[in-house]
Amino acid sequence: MAKQDETEDRLDRILTLELARVTEAAAVAAARLRGHGDEKQADQAAVDAMRTELNRLPINGKVVIGEGERDEAPMLYIGEEVGTRKGPAVDIALDPLEGTTICAKNQPNSIAVIAMAERGNLLYAPDVYMDKIAIGPGYPAGVIDIDATPSDNLAALAKAKGVAVQDLTACIMDRPRHARLIEEVRATGAAIRLIGDGDVAGVIDTTDPEQTGIDIYIGIGGAPEGVLAAAALRCIGGQMQGRLILDTQEKRDRAAKMGVTEPDKAYTMEEMAKGDVIFSATGVTDGNMLEGVRFSRNYIGTHTVVMRSSTHTVREIKARHHDLSKFS
Ligand code: VTB
C-alpha cells in the first residue's frame, strides 16, 4: 500500500500482523477435520472461520481471488466485500484451505493462505489452469523463461546456482498432463518432487531450497493459486512467470469479462501482484516450511509466515492460543 502518510503506513504494518489471525483461524478450523476424508466439510469450516476474522479487519476489502463465482460460492466469492468498510480499499486473494484433498487425507503441505494489495493490483484471474515456473531469490533476473524448454531452464538455473543439473530438484504436480514434462526433466538428470496438490506451497518451497530441498517449480496448476504464489514470491523475492490456459472460447470469454486483455500473455510475478503486497499462510498439516496445527490440552499451536513486499520482511509466528473459545 502506498505510503501516503505515516498513519497509512502504520496501518499497513499492523494489517500485516492482523492477516496472521485470519489464516490462523482458517487453519485451526480445517485442522479439526484433518484426515476425516471430507474435503468439502474441511473447506467449509476454513471458509467460515476466515470470513469471520476477515470481517473484523479495518479494511474496505474486495475478494478478487476467492472461493469461486458468486453463483457457485455463497461465501468469499469473487467480488464479495469484506472488512469493516472503514479503512483502505484493498484487493484480497485467498484460499482458506489450499489443498483440500491433502487435508482430508492428512498429508503434508495444506495451508490457509491470504494476500492483500491496494485496489487493482492483483491479477483478476479466472478459475482456469495456469502454466507456471518459479524459482526463489538470489538469482540474476531472467534465469528462467516459461517459453524455454525444461532442460534449458534447468541448465540455466544450475549454472546460476553453481551446481550440476543433477543436484537440482524440481517440484511438479503429479498429474497425467505432466507426463511429458516429467519425462523431459528426468532426462536432464534432475530430481523431481511429485506433489499431489498444493502448488502454492510448491512455489513457496523454492524460496528456501536448503530447508525444503526444492529449487524450481514447473507445471500447470490453478490460476488463482498462481496469483497467490506470485504474491508470496513478491514478498520473499524470487522469479515467477505464469500463462493462463484459455483453450476454449468459453474460458477466453470468462477471462475477458474479468479484464484479461492479452489472453496469451506470460505474466511476470510483478504483473500478477503489483505494488505493496502483504501475505500470510498458516500450516494446516505439517509441511516443508510450516508445521501443522497442534491441539494440546491447554492451547492450540499454529505456525504462520507473514510477509510484506515493501520491506521483504518475513516473519514466522509460532503462536500458542490459550483462549480456545475464539476457535470454537
Ligand atoms: C492446484 C493445487 C490445488 O488444484 O492448483 C490444482 O494447488 C490444480 O488443479 O491444491 P487440478 O487438481 O485439476 O490439477 C488443487 O490441487 C486443488 O484445488
Side-chain angles (χ1 to χ4, degrees):
M1 272 136 265
K3 289 178 196 157
Q4 277 153 15
D5 59 37
E6 218 184 300
T7 329
E8 186 150 331
D9 182 41
R10 222 175 300 148
L11 178 64
D12 173 21
R13 293 172 64 186
I14 293 168
L15 269 182
T16 314
L17 295 178
E18 289 281 343
L19 272 196
R21 286 202 180 87
V22 175
T23 52
E24 281 172 359
V28 170
R32 291 193 193 282
L33 295 157
R34 280 183 304 216
H36 284 221
D38 191 337
E39 308 180 6
K40 280 218 171 90
Q41 203 192 355
D43 192 45
Q44 190 57 53
V47 169
D48 287 346
M50 180 173 275
R51 188 165 179 264
T52 303
E53 274 313 312
L54 205 44
N55 277 328
R56 295 197 171 119
L57 292 191
I59 51 165
N60 210 324
K62 190 170 99 184
V63 175
V64 299
I65 299 278
E67 287 294 287
E69 313 274 328
R70 192 180 191 146
D71 50 355
E72 65 195 27
M75 277 191 249
L76 298 181
Y77 55 84
I78 298 165
E80 183 173 348
E81 292 185 5
V82 290
T84 60
R85 321 290 150 86
K86 292 186 196 96
V90 293
D91 277 351
I92 295 168
L94 53 83
D95 197 344
L97 182 56
E98 153 63 345
T100 48
T101 311
I102 305 178
C103 177
K105 294 183 179 172
N106 204 353
Q107 287 176 345
N109 286 319
S110 69
I111 55 176
V113 60
I114 192 164
M116 202 181 269
E118 269 186 314
R119 185 66 44 89
N121 279 352
L122 295 175
L123 177 67
Y124 295 2
D127 196 2
V128 296
Y129 282 126
M130 179 186 269
D131 199 2
K132 313 172 195 179
I133 185 163
I135 55 172
Y139 300 109
V143 172
I144 48 164
D145 176 357
I146 198 165
D147 290 316
T149 62
S151 104
D152 283 350
N153 277 317
L154 288 165
L157 181 62
K159 193 164 168 233
K161 191 177 177 184
V163 299
V165 172
Q166 293 91 304
D167 299 330
L168 295 177
T169 300
C171 178
I172 301 176
M173 286 219 307
D174 195 1
R175 295 290 188 277
R177 62 177 177 265
H178 289 150
R180 222 178 113 210
L181 170 66
I182 291 168
E183 220 174 276
E184 281 176 37
V185 171
R186 284 191 177 140
T188 68
I192 296 181
R193 173 92 53 92
L194 284 175
I195 56 168
D197 291 281
D199 68 349
V200 176
V203 170
I204 295 176
D205 282 350
T206 65
T207 62
D208 193 355
E210 305 248 306
Q211 189 184 334
T212 64
I214 290 169
D215 296 286
I216 182 166
Y217 175 88
I218 322 177
I220 295 170
E225 287 89 346
V227 176
L228 277 163
L233 279 202
R234 273 292 318 288
C235 296
I236 318 177
Q239 298 176 45
M240 178 173 174
Q241 290 157 25
R243 179 178 279 127
L244 297 171
I245 301 185
L246 302 169
D247 49 6
T248 64
Q249 191 55 44
E250 186 272 329
K251 288 180 195 167
R252 283 190 286 276
D253 291 346
R254 206 142 41 91
K257 247 183 30 205
M258 294 181 79
V260 174
T261 49
E262 294 171 87
D264 301 324
K265 183 181 167 67
Y267 290 94
T268 63
M269 173 180 90
E270 290 82 2
E271 287 167 329
M272 290 191 265
K274 290 195 277 260
D276 196 359
V277 176
I278 55 181
F279 178 95
S280 176
T282 302
V284 176
T285 57
D286 283 345
N288 298 332
M289 283 189 100
L290 292 169
E291 283 172 18
V293 176
R294 296 279 180 278
F295 295 102
S296 298
R297 191 147 61 98
N298 301 320
Y299 67 88
I300 296 174
T302 54
H303 188 190
T304 301
V305 61
V306 288
M307 33 205 201
R308 185 174 176 217
S309 67
S310 68
T311 52
H312 287 295
T313 309
V314 178
R315 288 184 174 84
E316 279 190 51
I317 304 178
K318 281 199 170 183
R320 289 182 173 202
H321 307 272
H322 289 275
D323 176 6
L324 305 186
S325 64
K326 68 180 180 182
F327 294 115
S328 57

